[in-house]
């Protein structure tokens, strides 16, 4: 963890931290789950300025270990709710919502109980686990993204009531990458994702769309924001101000160079965009996939790159197949002469 103003190193040891996130309501404070080295599961905070660490919540038995891949998404914007999946004694996998205000677990959904009830096991893969889990930005829903497409239960992107755990709807019937955000009215919660097909007559092209929460029993209808000229996109971050998400464009060299390819750009919910920069990374491995993220105030963009277009080679060499890059920061409060706020392109 470094201070932006002078890049001073503030926290040097994050050993044992699982799913760390900036706390949205506490300045310069990180919140995270502890290590899985023992069978006591805790939530902690660390102040990046003072270095002080505090235990916020200790999960009751029989909770034992956090499942970090299923708990990597953000807290609700007011900092009250966080969510994830944890293992209990005997191997029970429990989806949970943690209320940091009352220090309680109002929602606990056992994966086995879901498949014994409303969900049918997949004929090939059995009891399919979630891809990711999050509290919705305004603290209304527990959102579960399943690694299975469709409109049957335990498929797509499902919403659950944060007070009761009752199924509330499905925003999306797929599992492409996306992020949760809030629209400009300050009330509408949405999921922005890469749609597999744009509406006719462009249904042979991909698109960026958003779908409102919680959704009906089937899936919310997409609002198409951008029809793309080429292949897939890479990453979306909607953690900034209402009505805007940061998109990382992928690169497809098989069909020439197109707008937004290899770019970072802001996608607004009114369909307009602000093009920021080319990231110039090889994206040869996970650590150098740019995965750009937007700060909560919308001022800073951070992304990873091995700057392969400048060095002439990628960083995935030898045993290092994940790549070795650096962190780059864009300050959007500074003049950006090459940025262009463009009209909606459909």
């Amino acid at each position: 963890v470094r201070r932006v103003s002078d890049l001073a190193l503030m926290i040097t040891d994050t050993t044992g931290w699982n799913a760390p996130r900036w706390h949205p309501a506490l300045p310069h404070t990180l919140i995270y789950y502890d290590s899985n080295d023992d069978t006591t599961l805790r939530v902690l905070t660390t102040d990046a300025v003072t270095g002080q660490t505090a235990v916020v919540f200790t999960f009751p038995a029989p909770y034992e270990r956090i499942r970090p891949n299923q708990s990597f998404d953000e807290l609700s914007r007011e900092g009250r709710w966080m969510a994830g999946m944890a293992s209990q004694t005997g191997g029970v996998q429990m989806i949970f919502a943690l209320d940091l205000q009352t220090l309680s677990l109002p929602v606990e959904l056992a994966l086995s109980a879901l498949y014994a009830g409303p969900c049918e096991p997949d004929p090939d893969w059995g009891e399919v686990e979630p891809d990711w889990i999050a509290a919705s930005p305004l603290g209304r829903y527990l959102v579960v993204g399943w690694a299975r497409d469709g409109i049957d239960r335990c498929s797509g992107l499902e919403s659950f009531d944060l007070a009761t755990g009752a199924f509330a709807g499905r925003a999306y019937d797929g599992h492409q990458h996306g992020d949760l955000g809030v629209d400009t009215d300050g009330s509408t919660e949405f999921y922005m994702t890469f749609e597999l097909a744009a509406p006719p007559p462009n249904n042979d092209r991909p698109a960026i769309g958003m779908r409102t929460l919680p959704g009906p029993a089937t899936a919310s209808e997409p609002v198409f924001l951008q029809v793309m000229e080429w292949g897939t996109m890479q990453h979306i971050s909607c953690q900034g101000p209402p009505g805007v998400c940061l998109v990382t464009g992928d690169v497809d060299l098989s069909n020439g160079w197109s707008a937004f390819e290899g770019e970072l750009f802001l996608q607004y919910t009114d369909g307009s965009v602000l093009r920021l920069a080319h990231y110039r990374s090889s994206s040869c491995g996970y650590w150098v996939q740019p995965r750009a993220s937007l700060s909560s105030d919308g001022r800073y963009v951070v992304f990873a790159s091995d700057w392969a277009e400048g060095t002439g080679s990628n960083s995935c060499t030898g045993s290092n197949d994940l790549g070795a890059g650096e962190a780059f920061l864009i300050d959007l409060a500074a003049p950006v002469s090459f940025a262009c706020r463009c009209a909606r392109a459909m």
Side-chain angles (χ1 to χ4, degrees):
V1 179
R2 294 182 180 271
R3 188 166 53 206
V4 170
S5 60
D6 58 3
L7 298 183
L9 199 58
M10 305 300 292
I11 297 176
T12 59
D13 185 8
T14 57
T15 303
W17 290 24
N18 273 312
R21 288 291 182 269
W22 289 108
H23 195 296
L26 299 176
H28 44 73
T29 299
L30 293 116
I31 186 166
Y32 52 94
Y33 303 96
D34 68 354
S35 76
N36 284 326
D37 292 341
D38 58 29
T39 56
T40 301
L41 178 58
R42 308 171 185 85
V43 175
L44 302 94
T45 57
T46 295
D47 188 304
V49 175
T50 66
Q52 183 175 358
T53 293
V55 176
V56 176
F57 181 77
T58 300
F59 283 76
Y63 283 92
E64 292 185 346
R65 293 179 173 87
I66 194 67
R67 295 289 301 277
N69 286 344
Q70 284 84 356
S71 1
F72 56 69
D73 262 58
E74 314 298 331
L75 285 73
S76 57
R77 297 289 174 92
E78 86 282 34
R80 176 174 178 175
W81 296 95
M82 63 191 303
M85 188 162 83
S87 298
Q88 294 188 339
T89 304
V92 174
Q93 305 302 321
M94 188 70 72
I95 298 169
F96 65 85
L98 170 59
D99 186 340
L100 292 168
Q101 180 174 300
T102 63
L103 298 180
S104 63
L105 295 164
V107 178
E108 297 176 280
L109 303 171
L111 194 65
S112 57
L114 286 172
Y115 280 104
C119 305
E120 289 290 334
D122 187 86
D124 296 321
W125 305 103
E127 297 183 0
V128 178
E129 293 189 350
D131 261 350
W132 60 273
I133 299 165
S136 69
L138 299 180
R140 294 174 181 160
Y141 306 104
L142 167 67
V143 182
V144 180
W146 298 93
R148 175 169 64 176
D149 297 343
I151 58 174
D152 296 324
R153 288 299 314 277
C154 293
S155 303
L157 189 78
E158 293 186 329
S159 302
F160 298 82
D161 188 285
L162 267 176
T164 66
F167 174 73
R170 180 178 293 101
Y172 185 43
D173 56 357
H175 71 276
Q176 284 77 252
H177 167 77
D179 200 9
L180 299 169
V182 180
D183 211 346
T184 51
D185 60 7
S187 177
T188 301
E189 297 178 295
F190 65 80
Y191 179 69
M192 187 178 292
T193 188
F194 304 123
E195 302 285 343
L196 293 179
N202 298 312
N203 52 332
D204 60 338
R205 293 159 59 185
I208 298 174
M210 68 175 189
R211 299 169 181 250
T212 56
L213 300 181
T218 52
S220 296
E221 289 297 320
V223 175
F224 291 97
L225 302 174
Q226 200 71 232
V227 175
M228 312 307 295
E229 296 288 347
W230 51 279
T232 60
M233 306 299 281
Q234 187 185 101
H235 188 267
I236 297 176
S237 171
C238 301
Q239 299 305 312
V244 61
C245 297
L246 172 66
V247 180
T248 305
D250 210 342
V251 176
D252 181 2
L253 298 178
S254 66
N255 58 0
W257 198 261
S258 303
F260 307 124
E261 196 161 0
E263 288 187 37
L264 310 178
F265 62 95
L266 297 179
Q267 176 66 63
Y268 294 85
T269 56
D270 66 2
S272 61
V273 298
L274 180 66
R275 299 170 68 180
L276 301 177
H278 284 92
Y279 53 75
R280 302 182 184 278
S281 182
S282 68
S283 300
C284 63
Y286 182 77
W287 297 123
V288 290
Q289 293 173 6
R291 304 186 315 280
S293 295
L294 188 62
S295 64
S296 59
D297 62 359
R299 175 172 177 175
Y300 293 104
V301 169
V302 64
F303 64 98
S305 176
D306 59 7
W307 211 253
E309 291 183 27
T311 61
S313 62
N314 69 54
S315 59
C316 296
T317 57
S319 60
N320 182 22
D321 58 356
L322 296 178
E326 296 177 302
F328 290 81
L329 196 70
I330 301 175
D331 183 354
L332 295 179
V336 185
S337 59
F338 54 83
C340 172
R341 179 76 181 271
C342 306
R344 180 173 182 167
M346 291 294 288

